[in-house]
Amino acid sequence: MTDKPPAPARMFDQWPRIEVDTSDDGDFHRLNRIAGNAATGWALGPNGAYAQSLTLAEVVDGAVREALLHILELGLIDIDSERLHAGPGWPTHRERNANP
């Protein structure tokens, strides 16, 4: 497991990022496929986006929720509660140049 840098001490301080291997043969790629399939299944399913005439924001929220829930339930990722509660706030946008 990668050592994690400490969470920032103050609101709006930059969160140090953890390098992620996004190559086609890495673990992230496999998780992305599993999560993507779960999200697509939700979107196309009887309670998903196409069945409910949802807004784009609702579609994104629902797809992300379904994908995260699926990989959490499979035990493929864990929530780092200590880190989640360590910072005074969280960035809501990903730094696009952090992990191309």
Side-chain angles (χ1 to χ4, degrees):
M1 179 174 198
T2 303
D3 289 330
K4 297 176 186 176
R10 296 180 321 201
M11 183 76 79
F12 304 117
D13 279 357
Q14 187 167 348
W15 275 71
R17 303 300 171 127
I18 298 167
E19 189 171 332
V20 176
D21 175 8
T22 59
S23 64
D24 287 347
D25 59 351
D27 289 342
F28 172 80
H29 179 74
R30 294 184 74 187
L31 281 174
N32 186 49
R33 295 286 308 249
I34 294 166
N37 287 335
T40 299
W42 168 81
L44 300 177
N47 296 318
Y50 287 102
Q52 298 185 53
S53 300
L54 301 177
T55 66
L56 180 57
E58 291 169 324
V59 171
V60 171
D61 285 347
V64 168
R65 182 186 189 284
E66 188 69 17
L68 284 173
L69 187 57
H70 184 62
I71 58 178
L72 280 164
E73 288 174 340
L74 293 175
L76 298 174
I77 62 171
D78 296 310
I79 296 173
D80 184 343
S81 296
E82 184 177 325
R83 185 169 179 79
L84 180 64
H85 298 288
W90 308 273
T92 57
H93 296 32
R94 201 176 144 260
E95 294 175 359
R96 296 287 178 212
N97 61 354
N99 297 308

Coordinates of all heavy atoms in Angstrom, one line a residue:
M1 N 0.8 -1.2 0.0 CA 0.0 0.0 0.0 C 0.9 1.2 0.0 O 1.9 1.3 0.6 CB -0.9 0.0 1.2 CG -1.8 1.2 1.3 SD -2.9 1.0 2.7 CE -4.1 2.2 2.2
T2 N 0.4 2.3 -0.7 CA 1.1 3.5 -0.7 C 1.0 4.3 0.6 O 0.0 4.4 1.1 CB 0.5 4.4 -1.9 OG1 0.6 3.6 -3.1 CG2 1.3 5.7 -2.0
D3 N 2.2 4.8 1.0 CA 2.1 5.7 2.2 C 1.4 7.0 1.8 O 1.6 7.6 0.7 CB 3.5 6.0 2.7 CG 4.2 4.8 3.3 OD1 3.5 4.0 3.9 OD2 5.4 4.8 3.3
K4 N 0.5 7.4 2.6 CA -0.3 8.6 2.3 C 0.3 9.8 3.0 O 0.7 9.8 4.2 CB -1.7 8.4 2.8 CG -2.4 7.3 2.1 CD -3.8 7.1 2.7 CE -4.5 5.9 2.1 NZ -5.8 5.6 2.7
P5 N 0.4 10.9 2.3 CA 0.8 12.2 2.9 C -0.2 12.7 3.9 O -1.4 12.3 3.8 CB 1.0 13.1 1.7 CG 0.1 12.6 0.7 CD 0.0 11.1 0.9
P6 N 0.2 13.5 4.8 CA -0.8 14.0 5.8 C -1.9 14.9 5.1 O -1.6 15.5 4.2 CB 0.0 14.8 6.8 CG 1.3 15.1 6.1 CD 1.5 14.0 5.1
A7 N -3.1 14.8 5.7 CA -4.1 15.7 5.2 C -3.7 17.2 5.6 O -3.0 17.4 6.6 CB -5.4 15.3 5.9
P8 N -4.2 18.1 4.9 CA -3.9 19.5 5.2 C -4.5 19.9 6.5 O -5.5 19.4 6.9 CB -4.5 20.3 4.1 CG -5.5 19.4 3.4 CD -5.1 18.0 3.7
A9 N -3.8 20.8 7.2 CA -4.3 21.3 8.5 C -5.4 22.4 8.5 O -6.1 22.5 9.4 CB -3.1 21.8 9.3
R10 N -5.4 23.1 7.3 CA -6.3 24.3 7.2 C -7.2 24.1 6.0 O -6.8 23.6 5.0 CB -5.5 25.6 7.1 CG -4.7 25.9 8.4 CD -4.0 27.2 8.2 NE -3.5 27.3 6.9 CZ -2.5 28.1 6.5 NH1 -1.9 28.8 7.4 NH2 -2.1 28.2 5.2
M11 N -8.4 24.7 6.1 CA -9.3 24.8 5.0 C -8.6 25.4 3.8 O -7.9 26.4 4.0 CB -10.6 25.5 5.4 CG -11.6 25.6 4.4 SD -12.6 24.1 4.2 CE -13.6 24.2 5.6
F12 N -8.9 24.9 2.7 CA -8.4 25.4 1.4 C -6.9 25.2 1.1 O -6.4 25.6 0.1 CB -8.8 26.9 1.2 CG -10.2 27.1 1.3 CD1 -10.7 27.9 2.3 CD2 -11.1 26.5 0.4 CE1 -12.1 28.2 2.4 CE2 -12.5 26.7 0.5 CZ -13.0 27.6 1.5
D13 N -6.2 24.6 2.1 CA -4.8 24.2 1.8 C -4.8 23.1 0.8 O -5.8 22.3 0.7 CB -4.1 23.7 3.0 CG -3.6 24.8 3.9 OD1 -3.7 26.0 3.5 OD2 -3.0 24.5 5.0
Q14 N -3.8 23.0 0.0 CA -3.8 22.0 -1.1 C -3.7 20.6 -0.5 O -2.9 20.4 0.5 CB -2.6 22.2 -2.0 CG -2.6 21.3 -3.2 CD -1.7 21.7 -4.3 OE1 -1.2 22.8 -4.2 NE2 -1.4 20.9 -5.2
W15 N -4.4 19.6 -1.0 CA -4.3 18.2 -0.5 C -3.2 17.6 -1.3 O -3.3 17.6 -2.6 CB -5.6 17.5 -0.8 CG -6.6 17.6 0.3 CD1 -7.3 18.8 0.6 CD2 -7.1 16.6 1.2 NE1 -8.2 18.5 1.6 CE2 -8.0 17.2 2.0 CE3 -6.7 15.3 1.4 CZ2 -8.7 16.5 3.0 CZ3 -7.3 14.6 2.4 CH2 -8.3 15.2 3.2
P16 N -2.2 17.0 -0.7 CA -1.2 16.3 -1.4 C -1.9 15.1 -2.1 O -2.7 14.4 -1.5 CB -0.2 15.8 -0.4 CG -0.6 16.5 0.9 CD -2.0 17.0 0.8
R17 N -1.5 14.8 -3.4 CA -2.1 13.7 -4.1 C -1.2 12.5 -4.1 O 0.0 12.6 -3.9 CB -2.3 14.2 -5.6 CG -3.1 15.4 -5.8 CD -4.5 15.2 -5.2 NE -5.3 16.4 -5.2 CZ -6.5 16.6 -5.7 NH1 -7.1 15.6 -6.3 NH2 -7.1 17.7 -5.6
I18 N -1.8 11.4 -4.2 CA -1.2 10.1 -4.3 C -1.1 9.7 -5.7 O -2.1 9.7 -6.4 CB -2.0 9.0 -3.4 CG1 -2.0 9.5 -2.0 CG2 -1.4 7.7 -3.6 CD1 -3.0 8.7 -1.1
E19 N 0.1 9.2 -6.1 CA 0.3 8.8 -7.5 C -0.5 7.5 -7.8 O -0.5 6.6 -7.0 CB 1.7 8.6 -7.8 CG 2.0 8.4 -9.3 CD 3.5 8.4 -9.6 OE1 4.2 9.0 -8.9 OE2 3.8 7.7 -10.6
V20 N -1.2 7.5 -8.9 CA -2.0 6.3 -9.3 C -1.6 5.8 -10.6 O -1.4 6.6 -11.6 CB -3.5 6.7 -9.3 CG1 -4.4 5.6 -9.8 CG2 -4.0 7.2 -8.0
D21 N -1.3 4.6 -10.7 CA -1.0 3.9 -12.0 C -2.3 3.7 -12.8 O -3.1 2.9 -12.5 CB -0.3 2.6 -11.8 CG 0.0 1.8 -13.0 OD1 -0.2 2.4 -14.1 OD2 0.4 0.6 -12.9
T22 N -2.4 4.5 -13.9 CA -3.6 4.4 -14.7 C -3.4 3.6 -16.0 O -4.2 3.7 -16.9 CB -4.2 5.8 -15.0 OG1 -3.2 6.5 -15.7 CG2 -4.6 6.6 -13.8
S23 N -2.3 2.9 -16.1 CA -2.0 2.1 -17.3 C -3.1 1.0 -17.5 O -3.8 0.6 -16.6 CB -0.6 1.5 -17.2 OG -0.6 0.5 -16.1
D24 N -3.2 0.6 -18.8 CA -4.2 -0.4 -19.1 C -4.0 -1.7 -18.5 O -5.0 -2.5 -18.5 CB -4.2 -0.6 -20.7 CG -4.8 0.6 -21.4 OD1 -5.4 1.5 -20.7 OD2 -4.6 0.7 -22.6
D25 N -2.9 -2.0 -17.9 CA -2.7 -3.3 -17.3 C -2.6 -3.2 -15.8 O -2.2 -4.2 -15.1 CB -1.4 -4.0 -17.8 CG -0.2 -3.2 -17.7 OD1 -0.2 -2.1 -17.3 OD2 0.9 -3.8 -17.9
G26 N -2.9 -2.1 -15.2 CA -2.8 -1.8 -13.8 C -4.2 -2.1 -13.0 O -5.2 -2.3 -13.6
D27 N -4.1 -2.1 -11.7 CA -5.2 -2.4 -10.9 C -6.3 -1.3 -11.0 O -7.5 -1.6 -11.0 CB -4.9 -2.5 -9.4 CG -4.1 -3.8 -9.1 OD1 -4.1 -4.7 -10.0 OD2 -3.4 -3.8 -8.1
F28 N -5.9 0.0 -11.2 CA -6.9 1.0 -11.4 C -7.8 0.7 -12.6 O -9.0 0.9 -12.6 CB -6.2 2.4 -11.5 CG -7.2 3.5 -11.9 CD1 -8.0 4.0 -10.9 CD2 -7.3 3.9 -13.2 CE1 -9.0 5.0 -11.3 CE2 -8.3 4.8 -13.6 CZ -9.1 5.4 -12.6
H29 N -7.1 0.3 -13.7 CA -7.9 0.0 -14.9 C -9.0 -1.0 -14.7 O -10.1 -0.9 -15.1 CB -6.9 -0.5 -16.0 CG -7.6 -0.8 -17.3 ND1 -8.1 0.2 -18.2 CD2 -7.9 -2.0 -17.9 CE1 -8.6 -0.4 -19.2 NE2 -8.5 -1.7 -19.0
R30 N -8.6 -2.1 -13.9 CA -9.6 -3.1 -13.6 C -10.7 -2.6 -12.7 O -11.9 -2.9 -13.0 CB -8.9 -4.3 -12.9 CG -7.9 -5.0 -13.8 CD -7.3 -6.2 -13.2 NE -8.3 -7.3 -13.2 CZ -8.1 -8.4 -12.5 NH1 -7.0 -8.6 -11.9 NH2 -9.0 -9.3 -12.5
L31 N -10.4 -1.8 -11.7 CA -11.4 -1.2 -10.8 C -12.3 -0.3 -11.6 O -13.5 -0.3 -11.4 CB -10.8 -0.4 -9.7 CG -10.3 -1.3 -8.5 CD1 -9.6 -0.4 -7.5 CD2 -11.4 -2.0 -7.8
N32 N -11.7 0.5 -12.5 CA -12.5 1.4 -13.4 C -13.5 0.6 -14.2 O -14.6 1.1 -14.4 CB -11.5 2.2 -14.2 CG -12.2 3.3 -15.0 OD1 -13.0 4.1 -14.4 ND2 -12.0 3.4 -16.3
R33 N -13.1 -0.5 -14.8 CA -14.0 -1.3 -15.6 C -15.1 -1.9 -14.7 O -16.3 -1.9 -15.2 CB -13.2 -2.4 -16.3 CG -12.1 -2.0 -17.3 CD -12.7 -1.6 -18.5 NE -13.7 -2.5 -19.1 CZ -13.5 -3.3 -20.1 NH1 -12.5 -3.1 -20.9 NH2 -14.5 -4.1 -20.5
I34 N -14.8 -2.4 -13.6 CA -15.8 -2.9 -12.7 C -16.8 -1.8 -12.3 O -18.0 -2.0 -12.4 CB -15.2 -3.6 -11.4 CG1 -14.4 -4.8 -11.8 CG2 -16.2 -3.9 -10.4 CD1 -13.4 -5.3 -10.7
A35 N -16.3 -0.7 -11.8 CA -17.1 0.4 -11.4 C -18.0 1.0 -12.6 O -19.1 1.3 -12.5 CB -16.3 1.5 -10.8
G36 N -17.3 1.1 -13.8 CA -18.0 1.6 -15.0 C -19.2 0.7 -15.4 O -20.2 1.1 -15.7
N37 N -18.9 -0.6 -15.3 CA -20.0 -1.6 -15.6 C -21.2 -1.5 -14.6 O -22.3 -1.6 -15.0 CB -19.5 -3.0 -15.7 CG -18.6 -3.3 -16.9 OD1 -18.8 -2.6 -17.9 ND2 -17.7 -4.2 -16.8
A38 N -20.9 -1.3 -13.4 CA -21.9 -1.1 -12.3 C -22.7 0.1 -12.6 O -23.9 0.2 -12.5 CB -21.3 -1.1 -10.9
A39 N -22.0 1.2 -12.9 CA -22.7 2.5 -13.2 C -23.5 2.4 -14.5 O -24.7 2.9 -14.5 CB -21.6 3.6 -13.3
T40 N -23.0 1.8 -15.5 CA -23.8 1.6 -16.7 C -25.0 0.7 -16.5 O -26.1 1.0 -17.0 CB -22.9 1.0 -17.8 OG1 -21.8 1.9 -18.1 CG2 -23.7 0.8 -19.1
G41 N -24.8 -0.3 -15.7 CA -26.0 -1.2 -15.4 C -27.1 -0.4 -14.7 O -28.3 -0.6 -14.9
W42 N -26.7 0.5 -13.7 CA -27.7 1.3 -13.0 C -28.4 2.2 -14.0 O -29.6 2.3 -14.0 CB -27.0 2.1 -11.9 CG -27.9 3.1 -11.4 CD1 -28.9 3.0 -10.5 CD2 -28.0 4.5 -11.8 NE1 -29.6 4.1 -10.3 CE2 -29.0 5.1 -11.1 CE3 -27.2 5.3 -12.7 CZ2 -29.4 6.5 -11.2 CZ3 -27.6 6.6 -12.8 CH2 -28.6 7.2 -12.1
A43 N -27.6 2.9 -14.9 CA -28.2 3.9 -15.8 C -29.2 3.3 -16.7 O -30.2 3.9 -17.0 CB -27.0 4.6 -16.6
L44 N -28.9 2.0 -17.2 CA -29.8 1.4 -18.1 C -30.8 0.5 -17.5 O -31.7 0.0 -18.1 CB -28.9 0.5 -19.1 CG -27.9 1.3 -19.9 CD1 -27.1 0.3 -20.7 CD2 -28.5 2.3 -20.8
G45 N -30.8 0.4 -16.2 CA -31.7 -0.5 -15.4 C -33.0 0.1 -15.2 O -33.3 1.3 -15.5
P46 N -33.9 -0.6 -14.5 CA -35.3 -0.1 -14.3 C -35.4 1.1 -13.4 O -36.4 1.8 -13.4 CB -36.0 -1.3 -13.7 CG -34.9 -2.2 -13.2 CD -33.7 -2.0 -14.0
N47 N -34.4 1.3 -12.5 CA -34.4 2.4 -11.6 C -33.4 3.5 -12.0 O -33.1 4.4 -11.2 CB -34.2 2.0 -10.2 CG -35.3 1.0 -9.7 OD1 -36.4 1.3 -9.9 ND2 -34.9 0.0 -9.0
G48 N -32.9 3.4 -13.1 CA -31.8 4.3 -13.5 C -32.2 5.5 -14.3 O -33.4 5.8 -14.4
A49 N -31.2 6.1 -14.9 CA -31.4 7.4 -15.6 C -32.4 7.4 -16.7 O -33.2 8.3 -16.8 CB -30.0 7.8 -16.1
Y50 N -32.4 6.3 -17.5 CA -33.3 6.3 -18.7 C -34.7 6.1 -18.3 O -35.6 6.6 -18.9 CB -32.8 5.3 -19.7 CG -31.6 5.7 -20.4 CD1 -30.3 5.2 -20.1 CD2 -31.7 6.6 -21.5 CE1 -29.2 5.6 -20.8 CE2 -30.6 7.0 -22.2 CZ -29.3 6.5 -21.8 OH -28.2 7.0 -22.5
A51 N -34.9 5.4 -17.2 CA -36.3 5.1 -16.7 C -36.9 6.3 -15.9 O -38.1 6.3 -15.8 CB -36.3 3.9 -15.8
Q52 N -36.1 7.2 -15.5 CA -36.6 8.3 -14.6 C -36.5 9.7 -15.1 O -36.9 10.6 -14.4 CB -35.8 8.2 -13.3 CG -35.9 6.9 -12.5 CD -35.2 7.0 -11.2 OE1 -35.5 8.0 -10.4 NE2 -34.3 6.1 -10.9
S53 N -36.0 9.9 -16.3 CA -35.9 11.2 -16.9 C -35.1 12.2 -15.9 O -35.6 13.2 -15.5 CB -37.3 11.9 -17.2 OG -38.0 11.1 -18.1
L54 N -34.0 11.7 -15.5 CA -33.2 12.5 -14.5 C -32.4 13.6 -15.2 O -32.1 13.5 -16.4 CB -32.2 11.5 -13.8 CG -32.8 10.3 -13.1 CD1 -31.7 9.4 -12.5 CD2 -33.7 10.8 -12.0
T55 N -32.0 14.6 -14.4 CA -31.1 15.6 -14.9 C -29.7 15.0 -15.0 O -29.4 14.0 -14.4 CB -31.1 16.8 -13.9 OG1 -30.5 16.4 -12.7 CG2 -32.5 17.4 -13.7
L56 N -28.8 15.7 -15.7 CA -27.4 15.3 -15.8 C -26.8 15.1 -14.5 O -26.1 14.2 -14.2 CB -26.6 16.2 -16.7 CG -25.2 15.8 -16.9 CD1 -25.0 14.4 -17.5 CD2 -24.5 16.8 -17.8
A57 N -27.0 16.1 -13.6 CA -26.4 16.0 -12.2 C -26.9 14.8 -11.5 O -26.1 14.1 -10.8 CB -26.7 17.3 -11.5
E58 N -28.2 14.5 -11.6 CA -28.7 13.3 -11.0 C -28.1 12.0 -11.6 O -27.9 11.0 -10.8 CB -30.2 13.3 -11.1 CG -30.9 14.3 -10.2 CD -32.4 14.5 -10.5 OE1 -32.8 14.4 -11.7 OE2 -33.2 14.8 -9.6
V59 N -27.9 12.0 -12.9 CA -27.3 10.8 -13.5 C -25.9 10.6 -13.0 O -25.5 9.5 -12.7 CB -27.3 11.0 -15.1 CG1 -26.5 9.9 -15.7 CG2 -28.8 11.0 -15.6
V60 N -25.1 11.7 -13.0 CA -23.8 11.6 -12.5 C -23.7 11.1 -11.1 O -23.0 10.2 -10.7 CB -23.0 12.9 -12.7 CG1 -21.6 12.9 -12.0 CG2 -22.8 13.2 -14.2
D61 N -24.5 11.7 -10.2 CA -24.5 11.3 -8.8 C -25.0 9.9 -8.6 O -24.4 9.1 -7.9 CB -25.5 12.2 -8.0 CG -25.0 13.6 -7.7 OD1 -23.8 13.8 -7.9 OD2 -25.8 14.5 -7.3
G62 N -26.0 9.5 -9.4 CA -26.4 8.1 -9.3 C -25.4 7.1 -9.8 O -25.2 6.0 -9.2
A63 N -24.8 7.4 -10.9 CA -23.7 6.5 -11.5 C -22.5 6.4 -10.5 O -22.0 5.3 -10.3 CB -23.3 7.0 -12.8
V64 N -22.1 7.5 -10.0 CA -20.9 7.5 -9.1 C -21.3 6.7 -7.8 O -20.5 5.9 -7.4 CB -20.4 8.9 -8.8 CG1 -19.4 8.9 -7.6 CG2 -19.8 9.6 -10.0
R65 N -22.5 6.9 -7.3 CA -22.9 6.2 -6.1 C -22.9 4.7 -6.3 O -22.4 3.9 -5.5 CB -24.3 6.7 -5.7 CG -24.8 6.1 -4.4 CD -26.2 6.5 -4.1 NE -26.6 6.0 -2.7 CZ -26.9 4.7 -2.4 NH1 -26.9 3.8 -3.4 NH2 -27.2 4.4 -1.2
E66 N -23.5 4.3 -7.4 CA -23.6 2.9 -7.7 C -22.2 2.3 -7.9 O -22.0 1.2 -7.4 CB -24.5 2.7 -9.0 CG -24.8 1.3 -9.3 CD -25.8 0.6 -8.3 OE1 -26.4 1.4 -7.6 OE2 -25.8 -0.6 -8.3
A67 N -21.4 3.0 -8.6 CA -20.0 2.4 -8.9 C -19.2 2.3 -7.6 O -18.6 1.3 -7.3 CB -19.3 3.3 -9.8
L68 N -19.2 3.4 -6.7 CA -18.5 3.3 -5.5 C -19.1 2.2 -4.5 O -18.4 1.5 -3.9 CB -18.6 4.7 -4.7 CG -17.7 5.7 -5.3 CD1 -17.9 7.1 -4.6 CD2 -16.2 5.3 -5.1
L69 N -20.4 2.2 -4.5 CA -21.0 1.2 -3.6 C -20.7 -0.2 -4.0 O -20.4 -1.1 -3.2 CB -22.6 1.4 -3.6 CG -23.4 0.6 -2.6 CD1 -22.9 0.8 -1.2 CD2 -24.9 0.9 -2.8
H70 N -20.7 -0.5 -5.3 CA -20.4 -1.8 -5.8 C -19.0 -2.2 -5.5 O -18.7 -3.3 -4.9 CB -20.6 -1.8 -7.4 CG -20.4 -3.1 -8.0 ND1 -21.2 -4.2 -7.7 CD2 -19.5 -3.6 -8.9 CE1 -20.7 -5.3 -8.4 NE2 -19.7 -4.9 -9.1
I71 N -18.0 -1.4 -5.7 CA -16.6 -1.8 -5.4 C -16.3 -1.8 -3.9 O -15.5 -2.6 -3.5 CB -15.5 -1.0 -6.2 CG1 -15.6 0.5 -6.0 CG2 -15.7 -1.3 -7.7 CD1 -14.6 1.3 -6.7
L72 N -17.0 -1.0 -3.1 CA -16.9 -1.1 -1.7 C -17.5 -2.4 -1.2 O -16.9 -3.1 -0.4 CB -17.6 0.1 -1.0 CG -16.9 1.4 -0.9 CD1 -17.8 2.5 -0.6 CD2 -15.7 1.3 0.1
E73 N -18.7 -2.8 -1.7 CA -19.3 -4.0 -1.3 C -18.5 -5.3 -1.7 O -18.5 -6.3 -0.9 CB -20.7 -4.1 -1.9 CG -21.7 -3.2 -1.3 CD -23.1 -3.2 -2.1 OE1 -23.1 -3.6 -3.2 OE2 -24.0 -2.8 -1.5
L74 N -17.8 -5.2 -2.7 CA -16.9 -6.3 -3.1 C -15.6 -6.4 -2.3 O -14.9 -7.3 -2.4 CB -16.5 -6.2 -4.6 CG -17.7 -6.3 -5.6 CD1 -17.2 -6.1 -7.0 CD2 -18.3 -7.7 -5.5
G75 N -15.4 -5.3 -1.5 CA -14.2 -5.3 -0.7 C -12.9 -4.9 -1.4 O -11.8 -5.2 -1.0
L76 N -13.1 -4.3 -2.6 CA -11.9 -4.0 -3.5 C -11.3 -2.7 -3.0 O -10.1 -2.5 -3.4 CB -12.3 -4.0 -4.9 CG -12.9 -5.3 -5.5 CD1 -13.4 -5.1 -6.9 CD2 -11.8 -6.4 -5.4
I77 N -12.0 -1.8 -2.4 CA -11.5 -0.6 -1.8 C -12.0 -0.4 -0.4 O -13.0 -1.0 0.0 CB -11.8 0.7 -2.7 CG1 -13.3 0.9 -2.7 CG2 -11.2 0.6 -4.0 CD1 -13.8 2.2 -3.3
D78 N -11.3 0.4 0.4 CA -11.8 0.7 1.8 C -11.8 2.2 1.9 O -11.1 2.9 1.3 CB -10.7 0.1 2.8 CG -10.6 -1.4 2.7 OD1 -11.7 -2.1 2.8 OD2 -9.5 -1.9 2.6
I79 N -12.7 2.6 2.8 CA -12.8 4.0 3.2 C -11.8 4.3 4.3 O -11.8 3.6 5.3 CB -14.2 4.4 3.6 CG1 -15.2 4.2 2.4 CG2 -14.2 5.8 4.1 CD1 -16.6 4.4 2.8
D80 N -10.9 5.2 4.1 CA -10.0 5.6 5.1 C -10.7 6.7 6.0 O -10.5 7.9 5.7 CB -8.7 6.2 4.4 CG -7.6 6.5 5.4 OD1 -7.9 6.7 6.6 OD2 -6.5 6.7 5.0
S81 N -11.4 6.2 7.0 CA -12.2 7.2 7.8 C -11.3 8.2 8.5 O -11.7 9.3 8.7 CB -13.0 6.4 8.8 OG -14.0 5.6 8.1
E82 N -10.2 7.7 9.0 CA -9.3 8.6 9.7 C -8.9 9.8 8.8 O -8.9 10.9 9.2 CB -8.1 7.9 10.2 CG -7.1 8.7 11.0 CD -5.9 7.9 11.5 OE1 -6.1 6.7 11.9 OE2 -4.8 8.5 11.6
R83 N -8.5 9.5 7.6 CA -8.1 10.5 6.6 C -9.3 11.4 6.2 O -9.2 12.6 6.1 CB -7.4 9.9 5.4 CG -6.9 10.9 4.4 CD -6.0 10.2 3.4 NE -5.5 11.1 2.4 CZ -4.4 11.9 2.6 NH1 -3.8 11.9 3.8 NH2 -4.0 12.8 1.7
L84 N -10.4 10.7 6.0 CA -11.6 11.5 5.6 C -12.0 12.5 6.7 O -12.4 13.6 6.3 CB -12.8 10.5 5.5 CG -14.1 11.0 5.1 CD1 -14.1 11.7 3.7 CD2 -15.2 10.0 5.2
H85 N -11.8 12.2 8.0 CA -12.2 13.2 9.0 C -11.0 14.0 9.5 O -11.2 14.9 10.3 CB -12.7 12.4 10.2 CG -14.0 11.7 9.8 ND1 -15.2 12.3 9.6 CD2 -14.2 10.4 9.6 CE1 -16.1 11.4 9.3 NE2 -15.5 10.2 9.3
A86 N -9.8 13.8 8.9 CA -8.6 14.5 9.4 C -8.5 15.9 8.8 O -8.1 16.8 9.5 CB -7.3 13.8 9.0
G87 N -9.0 16.1 7.6 CA -8.9 17.5 7.0 C -10.1 18.3 7.3 O -11.2 17.8 7.5
P88 N -10.0 19.6 7.3 CA -11.1 20.5 7.6 C -12.0 20.7 6.4 O -13.1 21.3 6.5 CB -10.4 21.8 8.0 CG -9.1 21.8 7.2 CD -8.7 20.3 7.2
G89 N -11.6 20.2 5.3 CA -12.4 20.3 4.1 C -11.8 19.5 3.0 O -10.7 19.0 3.2
W90 N -12.5 19.3 1.9 CA -12.0 18.4 0.8 C -12.1 19.2 -0.5 O -13.1 19.9 -0.8 CB -12.8 17.2 0.7 CG -12.9 16.5 2.1 CD1 -12.0 15.6 2.6 CD2 -13.9 16.7 3.1 NE1 -12.4 15.2 3.8 CE2 -13.6 15.9 4.2 CE3 -15.0 17.5 3.2 CZ2 -14.3 15.9 5.3 CZ3 -15.8 17.4 4.3 CH2 -15.4 16.6 5.4
P91 N -11.2 19.0 -1.4 CA -11.3 19.6 -2.7 C -12.4 18.9 -3.5 O -12.6 17.7 -3.4 CB -9.9 19.4 -3.3 CG -9.3 18.2 -2.6 CD -9.9 18.3 -1.2
T92 N -13.2 19.7 -4.2 CA -14.3 19.1 -4.9 C -13.9 18.8 -6.4 O -14.7 18.3 -7.2 CB -15.5 19.9 -4.9 OG1 -15.2 21.2 -5.3 CG2 -16.1 20.0 -3.4
H93 N -12.7 19.3 -6.8 CA -12.3 19.1 -8.2 C -11.0 18.4 -8.2 O -10.1 18.7 -7.4 CB -12.2 20.5 -8.9 CG -13.5 21.2 -9.0 ND1 -14.5 21.1 -8.1 CD2 -14.0 22.0 -10.0 CE1 -15.5 21.8 -8.5 NE2 -15.2 22.4 -9.7
R94 N -10.8 17.6 -9.1 CA -9.5 16.8 -9.3 C -8.5 17.7 -10.1 O -8.9 18.4 -11.0 CB -9.8 15.5 -10.0 CG -8.7 14.5 -9.8 CD -9.1 13.2 -10.5 NE -7.8 12.7 -11.0 CZ -7.3 12.8 -12.2 NH1 -8.0 13.3 -13.1 NH2 -6.1 12.4 -12.5
E95 N -7.3 17.7 -9.6 CA -6.2 18.3 -10.4 C -5.9 17.5 -11.6 O -5.4 16.4 -11.5 CB -5.0 18.5 -9.5 CG -5.2 19.4 -8.3 CD -4.0 19.5 -7.4 OE1 -3.0 18.8 -7.7 OE2 -4.0 20.2 -6.4
R96 N -6.3 18.0 -12.8 CA -6.2 17.2 -14.0 C -4.8 16.8 -14.4 O -4.5 15.9 -15.0 CB -6.9 17.9 -15.2 CG -8.3 18.1 -15.0 CD -9.1 16.8 -15.1 NE -10.5 17.1 -14.9 CZ -11.3 16.2 -14.4 NH1 -10.8 15.0 -14.0 NH2 -12.5 16.4 -14.2
N97 N -3.8 17.7 -13.9 CA -2.4 17.4 -14.3 C -1.7 16.5 -13.3 O -0.6 16.1 -13.5 CB -1.6 18.7 -14.5 CG -1.6 19.5 -13.2 OD1 -2.3 19.2 -12.2 ND2 -0.9 20.6 -13.2
A98 N -2.4 16.1 -12.2 CA -1.8 15.3 -11.2 C -1.5 13.9 -11.7 O -0.5 13.3 -11.4 CB -2.7 15.2 -9.9
N99 N -2.5 13.3 -12.4 CA -2.3 11.9 -12.9 C -2.9 11.8 -14.3 O -4.1 11.5 -14.4 CB -3.0 10.9 -11.9 CG -2.4 10.8 -10.6 OD1 -1.2 10.7 -10.5 ND2 -3.2 11.0 -9.6
P100 N -2.2 12.1 -15.3 CA -2.8 12.2 -16.6 C -3.3 10.8 -17.1 O -3.0 9.8 -16.6 CB -1.6 12.6 -17.5 CG -0.4 12.6 -16.7 CD -0.8 12.4 -15.3

